[in-house]
Amino acid sequence: MTPRLYIFDADGTLRRTRIAGQPCPHAPDEWELLPGVRPRLAALPIEVGFGIASNQDHVGYGLLSYQLAHGLLCDLLLAATGRPPLEGAVQLCPHRLELACACRKPAPELLLRILAAHHLPPEAALYVGDADCDAEAARRARIPFRWAEQFFGR
């Protein structure tokens, strides 16, 4: 079955930062799409939906605002797919690593919110990521998972 919704992790899956040692961008000019992302997503059927689920603990540490982090993820989805994201399609966990929360991957909350925004069951989606926490979040949300390296043929 072809997924009706593709959800992606951001950093290391769709984008990389241009700042050495910085895991996520803090400004619009600090990131770039990873090779092969745009052509791979352009080849998907036009009727599929897209989303991003990303841990962004730098928000919690005050290195960038929630609004900026969310805007950068929306810009990423637009750059990767050529389409602006639907309301609720971009979800992030802004909490510090040392704080317990219900939304940081590997918890499934971010993925479940994106499914709800698209009114789809888990089996209609595919989550693509590059980390063990991505795979575990997909398992907990009951969403099929693919490693970014496989999905993008890297």
Side-chain angles (χ1 to χ4, degrees):
M1 181 175 106
T2 300
R4 294 170 47 203
L5 172 64
Y6 291 83
I7 306 171
F8 298 93
D9 171 55
D11 301 301
T13 298
L14 295 178
R15 73 180 177 190
R16 63 179 165 216
T17 62
R18 294 180 173 154
I19 309 301
Q22 187 173 295
C24 63
H26 297 168
D29 63 342
E30 292 183 356
W31 66 273
E32 61 191 3
L33 284 177
L34 285 165
V37 167
R38 184 71 190 254
R40 175 68 170 100
L41 300 187
L44 295 174
I46 191 71
E47 64 273 3
V48 301
F50 296 103
I52 289 180
S54 182
N55 291 343
Q56 295 289 306
D57 55 273
H58 282 200
V59 172
Y61 294 115
L63 300 173
L64 70 162
S65 70
Y66 180 95
Q67 292 76 15
L68 178 56
H70 189 267
L72 290 171
L73 292 171
C74 289
D75 291 347
L76 170 59
L77 199 55
L78 177 61
T81 66
R83 296 189 247 163
L86 296 177
E87 184 72 30
V90 173
Q91 296 288 325
L92 66 96
C93 171
H95 302 106
R96 295 173 180 229
L97 294 174
E98 66 272 11
L99 298 177
C101 73
C103 59
R104 182 181 306 109
K105 296 179 294 179
E109 184 64 28
L110 301 178
L111 299 173
L112 296 174
R113 288 180 197 166
I114 295 169
L115 286 173
H118 285 85
H119 308 288
L120 291 171
E123 62 272 11
L126 176 70
Y127 184 46
V128 179
D130 70 325
D132 290 338
C133 69
D134 297 322
E136 180 62 16
R139 187 191 68 75
R140 291 182 188 182
R142 298 188 175 131
I143 296 174
F145 178 79
R146 294 266 321 265
W147 291 101
E149 287 184 1
Q150 295 169 334
F151 185 82
F152 291 108
R154 296 182 193 141

